[in-house]
Structures are given as C-alpha cells and as structure tokens.
Amino acid sequence: MAPRKNFRNQAKKEVKPAAVVNKNGVKAEATVAASGGGFSSTKIFTWFMVLALLGVWSSVAVVWFDLVDYDNVIERAKEFRFNFSEVLQGKLSAYDADGDGDFDVEDAKVLLGLKERPVSVLLREAKEESAVKEPDAVPTPPDDDVDGSQNTDVESEIQAAVPLPLISDGFIPDDSRDEASHPYEDENDAIDMKGELVEKAQPQQTVEESKQYNDQPGSLKTKETEAESVPEPEADVESVLEPEADVEPEVESVPELEAEFVPELKENAEEQPKDKLKEKAKKKKPKLLNKFEKTIKTEIDAAEKLRKKGKVEEAVRAFETLVLQYPQSPRCRYGKALAEDGLAEKMLSNDMLQKAIGTYKEASELPNATPDLIKATLKKRAERQQFLGRMRGALATLEKLVQIFPEDVALKNDLGVAHLLIGDNKSAKRVYEEVLATAPSDGFAKVHYGFILKSENKIAESIPFLRDGLESGDPGTDDGRFYFHLGDALQRMGDDSAYKWYERGHQRGHFASVWQRSLYNVDGLKAQPWWMPKDTGYMDLVKTLERNWRIIRDEAQSVMDKTTGLFVPEEENLREKGEWGQFTLWQQGKKAGESCRSVPKTCGLLERFPEAIGCKRGQIKFSVMQPGTHVWPHTGPTNCRLRMHLGLVIPKTGCKIRCTNDTRAWEEGKVLIFDDSFEHEVWQDADSYRLIFIVDVWHPELTQYQRQTLSPI
C-alpha cells in the first residue's frame, strides 16, 4: 500500500546532504543530525521564552506608562456588549460604532470615547430598542396619541418640575426663586404666603404679617443653600427668542405650576375621599401627536428615549435633526424644547433655559398642534418663565391659556397665583371669585381667596375660606402659609382653636413647633425663645451697646420729632391698637438710604460688628411705642436670626413682652435677646412712650458659608 501523503512523510524523503569531514575527522552530517537538523527542541524552547518575555515586558510597559485606558475600554466594551468570541470569529462589524458598516479605527475612537457617535446611529439604535416589546406587552392602540413614552401622564411627564442642581455665584442674572431682596411688585396689600420648614426656597420679604404673596421663581441650586437673589426687571423683556409684546391666542402655561408654587398635599392620600383618588387614577394621558406625527412616532420615541435616559446633549441633537426634517411638527419642536430645558439644568445655564422658553413658544404656535400639546407646552413655558423671575411674561402666558381653555379651573387657579406674584391682589381676587362661582368647593381657590381677604383686614370673613380650603385636602392647600394665617386670624378673633391649627401645621411638617412658626428656616439650629448674651457668642456687641446706650438714646430722641419724617408707622398690620413708629438704619444687610447721617455715632458703633450689619435676614432700627398700644401675637419670618432689644426710654410700669409663655420687661441700658421666630406679643400700657433699639444678628450656629449664601429677608 502506498504511503500516506503528509508533511511528516515528505520530510523523510528529503535528500540528505553529502557528509563532510572536518579537521577532527568527524563528519559534519553527524553533527547536524545530533543537533536535530538545526532546530532542536532546546532552541525552540529558547526562542519561545524570548518571545514570551518580550510580550510580558511589553505588557508591563503599557501598564506602567499608562499607554492605554483599560478602564475606559472595559466600560465601553460592557456598554456595547463586546463579545470576545465574536472577535475570534471575525464578526467585528457587530461593533460598528460609527455606522459605516465595518469595524475600523474610527469605531475604536468611538469605543474609547475619543469621538462622539453620529446622531443617525443613536436614533437608529433607539428605534431598535423601542421596537423590542416585553412578551406580555399590550400594543398601544393606533388612536391613542401617547407621545411615545412609557407610562407618561400630564403630571409626571409634561408638568413635572425639574430638580435643581447647585449653582455658582452670579449664575442667575435675572431673578431667583429664592430671592428675598424685594418683592416683585412692592404693593402694601399683597400677601406673603411662602414658607417651608427646611430652607429650600428663598423668601423676598418678611412674613411677620403676610403683606406679600411671594412665591419666588427658582434658581438652580441645592436644597442646603440658597443663591443670592436678583430683583425682577420692571418689564418682562424676554429676549429675541421670546417676544412678549404680541400675545397670540396660543396658550402659555406651566407644567405643575400648582405644585411649584404651592406644594401639593403630602402624605394625606388616606384622608382624601375615595372618589377623588379614583378620579386621579383615571387621569388620561395627553394626546400630543397629530395625525402626521403618528407616522413618525418611532423616530420621536427614539429621540425621547435619549432625553429620558439623561443623554440631553444627544437628545438635543436628535430633536434638532427631527425639526430640520419635519419643521411643521409641533411634537418634534416640543421635544426639542424639553431637551434644551434638561440641558439648561445640566449646564446651569439661563441662556439655554431662555432658548428652551422660546422653543416652547414656537411649538405652541405651529399649525396642527393638538390641544393637549398646546396646553402642556405653554404650561411648561410659563413655569420656566416664573423660574427665571419673568413674572409678567408668565402672567401673559397663563392669560392666553385661560383664553384658550376657559373651562379649565386649574389654569384659572394658576392665573390667580400669577397675579399674586406681581402684587396684583385685586385681579387675583377677581379670578378666584370666578372660580368659586363655578366650582364652590375648590379648596385651592378657597385658601387663596381667604388670604386675599385677610390681607384686606377682613379677618372674620377670611376664616371660613381658609379653614374649608385646608379641610378639603385639595392639591395645593397643604402649605404652611395657610396654617400660619388661619391661626393668626383665629387668634385675632379671640378663638383658641388657633393652636389646634398650629399643631396640625406642626404635624404636617410646616412649623418647627406650635410656638416656633417661622416659615423660612435652616434645619438643625438651636431653638429656644430667650437667650443669655454669653450663649450667643456676641458679648462684645452686647457690651458695646450697653456701654453706649445713652449716646444711642440721645441720637434717637434728636430725630423723633414727627417733622423729621424719619420714624414711620409700622406697616405690617401687627397692631391691634395704638401707635408704633420705627426708624430703620440697616435692612437686609444694607444701609437704609441716608439714615445714618442723622445718627452717625450710633452707626459708627455698629460698623465693626458684621454679625449685625451683615445680617441679611434682619434689621437694625429704633422702635418707639406710644401708650395704649397692643401688638398681636406673631412670629418672625425665619429662625436664622436672634433679636436684641436695648432699652433706651422705658416707663417704670406697663411695658412688657411675652415670648412663648415667658413674659419679661425691658430695662434702660440693658439688652434682652430672644428668638423672634417664636410667638411673641407686646403691651404698652404706660403713661409715656417706650423707646428701644432693635439689633438683629445672625443665629450663632450658622456657618460663614450659610451667612453668605442665604437670601435676604
């Protein structure tokens, strides 16, 4: 049988070279044979070791000199489900990252993060992902226009307020939700109803007696600290993106305006009637797609998926591509606005947010926009306008919404809030009267209407509206301001049930305690009604005031004459009766005009005490009270300050101050210190005037950073 043809047999048949005899008489052939034909196992092993060592040291060099970012490669490999077995099989086209059909250097750059993936590839992948359904998934009916998102509803998707990250100094050029420097419209009949237990939003003005409805617009910030506030411009000059002059009948509004400005009822679902809970459960999804947009729903869904995954830059590019392809699509433009909104949050950019506001308007003005999309788009626009402090622009937007959707009670309620935010209580009152005429049980309208009545000093009339509104449990009624003012109204009517409502407010988390009812607070500060000077850390200031009290008194008396006009009547509606005048030197950490020119020595004494003159949440002022004056029980707006009273002219009897259940009297030349966030009350039943010097100081436990970043009150 013929031998099998293989490489081994072929080697056997090779012709051997002729033997050569060397000088030692040994045949060279034998030497070659002895060495295995020149490739012995020893040589092969030696070369193998050399190559192995080269590989090892090469690997060591790569790692030692950090030539390759292995962590990044591994992460990218995981992200794109990199399968090494496929590499061995030559299936690298599965990792085509740039969409050109193969795996090459450009794909490697994408995998290593050196190059961005093309929008077309992102959209294609998002489409493929959205096309994959769960085994038990129920297909969406073709006539159910759902915006291409899963479990989307008006509250969570369209109207959800955007969480706010930390902001750097100077970021908010327009205004901030937590600004407290001054009201948007400084009218005396406005109400201050803003307040939360932990410092989250910054007030604009003291809540000592609710003169201003100051639901401030939001700044991009954290919950722990507040950014400096900037007052709203006189007019709402929106920018080229958003001309405010010609207000078309398109609608502009705010997503979840109600939740943004008056927090929704929390933790009381069990208290709400079952029919209301069922009504919420039946809430329909908004129909945001028109007939044509249903044909491109997959593309819209793909871009929307990027946005919901937090890939806002990619989402913006994806929606920009869609807008170029379908310029008349309201839903594509709305998606672009949402993506720009998210990018503004990520970038902490007011300019980008302003661009989003303009895009919201563009979306609402396109033909064939569905009513739900118009409402959602303009509500979102108005909410972002308010966020930037564009209160008049937001008001115009909400007026358009009410014009287009006149039967929508919630929009009218939001419009009423918008009027209150610019100090237009009369217009707000008219709006809420219209709401209550058609929806007499609307709790949101009731509490706001009650507050307006209280600001008009119609105390008895305000009580049933405030009480019924709170008892309704309607969204937007569970707010510390409403408990605050209902209790205050009841106290003024001599009704002890006020403390029941204060207790309920405390249980709901709006007040630190029944006694301590300030609304703008920093959590965790030591809380006690009366303080000893040594416990404040401000002994130097106390000693300076007490040593120089006569100088301070003499300067105050020199300007007390009514003809000077320096002492002005108390304007916070805190008096039941009598006369109470004040002369302010510092307000919100700044000198009050030219006041110090009249009392230079007093101001000079205070200049070296930053805890006092730098206290942005307090005042420094003279206070004169005439006989027969009674100040209602009330609380200050914040727990961030302590209040010093230096006695200057104190009658021997008849003057006293109560803080909680502890009543004390002033002494000339002595400083009393109390925390005015606790309930306090004043009587002046002497036969001559009482004169004191009030100096507010930062709470000693506030850090320097907090003192710098907390907003003024």
Side-chain angles (χ1 to χ4, degrees), residues 308-344:
K308 291 182 177 179
K309 286 184 175 181
K311 300 177 180 180
V312 287
E313 295 93 341
E314 297 171 2
V316 169
R317 295 199 300 271
F319 275 114
E320 284 175 345
T321 301
L322 291 177
V323 168
L324 289 174
Q325 290 178 318
Y326 311 110
Q328 295 301 306
S329 166
R331 179 60 184 88
C332 290
R333 207 166 294 260
Y334 175 54
K336 178 173 176 280
L338 289 172
E340 290 170 342
D341 201 335
L343 184 58

Side-chain angles (χ1 to χ4, degrees), residues 406-421:
E407 304 302 318
D408 193 319
V409 172
L411 292 179
K412 288 185 178 179
N413 281 334
D414 292 345
L415 178 61
V417 171
H419 281 297
L420 288 172
L421 289 176

